[in-house]
Amino acid sequence: MRVQFTSFTAVAAVMALTVLAACGDSDLSSDPQSADSAEPASSSQSETSIIESCSSDSEIPSSWNMFGGSSAQDSPEWSSAALSSEAIPDPSSDGHLSPEMSSSIEPTSSSAIVEASPEIVLDKDGFATVADVYRGLAPGEKAVFIIRHSEREDAVTIETELTANGIKMAQNLGAALKSDEEFSYVTSGFVRTNETANNISKGRGEASLPKLITNYDITGNWFLKISADSLAQYGTVLGMRGGSVELMSHWAYEGGYPDALYELGPRAQEFMQSVILKNLPKWKRVTIMVSHDIFVMPLAVFGSQKKVALKYYEDYHWINYIAGLAVIADEQNNLRYIPVKGAESGVIDYLAIYMAEHGGYSR
């Protein structure tokens, strides 16, 4: 893939992308009503929700202040402080990716990074399909698929629901994972993560809605030392046009920013030990864990040893919906990691989308 445009067009595109930061909503912006809720909102589609304790075994807090005061945990969209990370960069856009861009599904106690199995094919961006990884599990292995939620509506609160396209995406992924075995479903407790899990289950043809397990460690703050609300401002102060999105991607690949973010490797390993391996015995052979992009993107970079193509700060690539990382444990609890996609691509290429819509883009 090559982006071909004149220097004038390049400057105009960057200016347009930057100007779009003036439009309103943010997945990291606080919603007072939601932030003060006593417990996380659950999807109206859920029958049951099981709440797991935090990895530290501390008592579950009674308010969403444990999440840095933020009502939502995805990257900013059309925010005042950061470039859109999920919406097509066009002021006339409705904020949702077109189906051809985002939602075509391909039906198809130690911890160490191990290369993907030979039978698992990675695409040019470093992702395998969730279905291929699931079918390729060896006897005795267990897998946790940590994925971003499916496409959601624009207004961002804890209660924000999936779009119709997002529901279809999740159900199509479930259809690609159809089998007789039961899965475990772990979510952040936000409506959009609950709905993603429920629709994957529905797509699999499961007889009843699953008992969703709410885990507070996957809301999106795991890698943050500051509140989620502060990320975009932090990036803007550093002169980053992309705010928190650019900040998170630069940190994941290049490190730094120790006052705002933990070191990726040790913090990711801590998550594997204190959350994945701790809970794996009580989860089924396959677990679908549905979280948010600022949590899932760093894990995909970590698990791929920085080989996955999510360098937003260089090329405007960001983690796609229902993409993430498969964590596979053998009987000795050795872990191997494979970046996975539930849609046609694991990457949203915002510059390519912008140039395709405004001219100057060719493959």
Side-chain angles (χ1 to χ4, degrees), residues 234-295:
Y234 186 100
T236 301
V237 168
L238 293 175
M240 295 181 174
R241 290 191 179 96
S244 62
V245 180
E246 183 175 345
L247 171 65
M248 289 292 291
S249 61
H250 195 274
W251 158 80
Y253 285 94
E254 305 293 340
Y257 315 106
D259 53 334
L261 295 156
Y262 291 98
E263 185 179 351
L264 175 60
R267 188 63 170 166
Q269 290 283 11
E270 181 184 350
F271 178 79
M272 298 305 167
Q273 293 290 333
S274 63
V275 178
I276 298 298
L277 291 177
K278 174 185 174 181
N279 291 294
L280 205 57
K282 59 186 178 184
W283 294 343
K284 299 189 185 299
R285 187 180 81 104
V286 174
T287 297
I288 304 294
M289 179 178 283
V290 189
S291 181
H292 306 266
D293 56 356
I294 64 170
F295 175 72

Side-chain angles (χ1 to χ4, degrees), residues 14-23:
V14 172
M15 289 179 64
L17 290 168
T18 305
V19 168
L20 292 177
C23 305

Side-chain angles (χ1 to χ4, degrees), residues 7-311:
S7 58
F8 175 81
T9 304
V11 172
V14 172
M15 289 179 64
L17 290 168
T18 305
V19 168
L20 292 177
C23 305
D25 97 52
S26 168
D27 246 14
L28 287 175
S29 62
S30 291
D31 174 81
Q33 182 177 357
S34 299
D36 293 337
S37 299
E39 59 186 34
S42 60
S43 167
S44 59
Q45 297 179 3
S46 276
E47 288 185 342
T48 308
S49 179
I50 302 169
I51 299 177
E52 292 184 334
S53 62
C54 301
S55 61
S56 62
D57 291 323
S58 59
E59 184 178 350
I60 298 173
S62 61
S63 79
W64 281 94
N65 289 333
M66 65 181 291
F67 305 132
S70 174
S71 67
Q73 298 297 315
D74 295 319
S75 57
E77 299 180 54
W78 305 92
S79 71
S80 59
L83 174 65
S84 166
S85 69
E86 295 178 353
I88 296 174
D90 183 339
S92 64
S93 169
D94 64 0
H96 302 140
L97 298 174
S98 61
E100 62 269 21
M101 288 292 185
S102 69
S103 64
S104 175
I105 303 297
E106 295 183 3
T108 50
S109 143
S110 62
S111 178
I113 297 176
V114 182
E115 294 293 332
S117 301
E119 64 271 17
I120 301 298
V121 178
L122 302 179
D123 66 14
K124 63 181 179 60
D125 297 314
F127 290 86
T129 68
V130 174
D132 282 350
V133 175
Y134 172 50
R135 308 296 177 196
L137 291 175
E141 287 185 329
K142 299 184 76 172
V144 180
F145 292 95
I146 308 172
I147 61 172
R148 185 186 179 192
H149 59 78
S150 197
E151 183 184 272
R152 62 165 175 76
E153 297 288 355
D154 291 334
V156 181
T157 67
I158 294 172
E159 294 83 9
T160 297
E161 299 179 343
L162 298 182
T163 63
N165 186 51
I167 292 172
K168 180 181 178 182
M169 290 172 70
Q171 290 184 3
N172 286 349
L173 174 57
L177 300 174
K178 190 167 288 188
S179 69
D180 292 333
E181 73 174 313
E182 294 183 359
F183 285 7
S184 291
Y185 294 89
V186 180
T187 79
S188 68
F190 287 54
V191 169
R192 56 188 172 276
T193 61
N194 288 358
E195 287 185 338
T196 300
N198 284 330
N199 279 288
I200 290 173
S201 171
K202 183 176 180 179
R204 295 190 70 235
E206 296 179 7
S208 59
L209 290 175
K211 295 181 178 180
L212 303 183
I213 302 168
T214 302
N215 189 293
Y216 293 119
D217 291 311
I218 66 169
T219 58
N221 281 34
W222 181 263
F223 293 106
L224 311 186
K225 292 182 179 179
I226 61 178
S227 72
D229 288 325
S230 302
L231 275 180
Q233 182 180 4
Y234 186 100
T236 301
V237 168
L238 293 175
M240 295 181 174
R241 290 191 179 96
S244 62
V245 180
E246 183 175 345
L247 171 65
M248 289 292 291
S249 61
H250 195 274
W251 158 80
Y253 285 94
E254 305 293 340
Y257 315 106
D259 53 334
L261 295 156
Y262 291 98
E263 185 179 351
L264 175 60
R267 188 63 170 166
Q269 290 283 11
E270 181 184 350
F271 178 79
M272 298 305 167
Q273 293 290 333
S274 63
V275 178
I276 298 298
L277 291 177
K278 174 185 174 181
N279 291 294
L280 205 57
K282 59 186 178 184
W283 294 343
K284 299 189 185 299
R285 187 180 81 104
V286 174
T287 297
I288 304 294
M289 179 178 283
V290 189
S291 181
H292 306 266
D293 56 356
I294 64 170
F295 175 72
V296 174
M297 186 280 294
L299 284 182
V301 174
F302 162 77
S304 69
Q305 302 181 71
K306 302 185 179 181
K307 295 177 182 177
V308 73
L310 293 172
K311 292 186 177 182

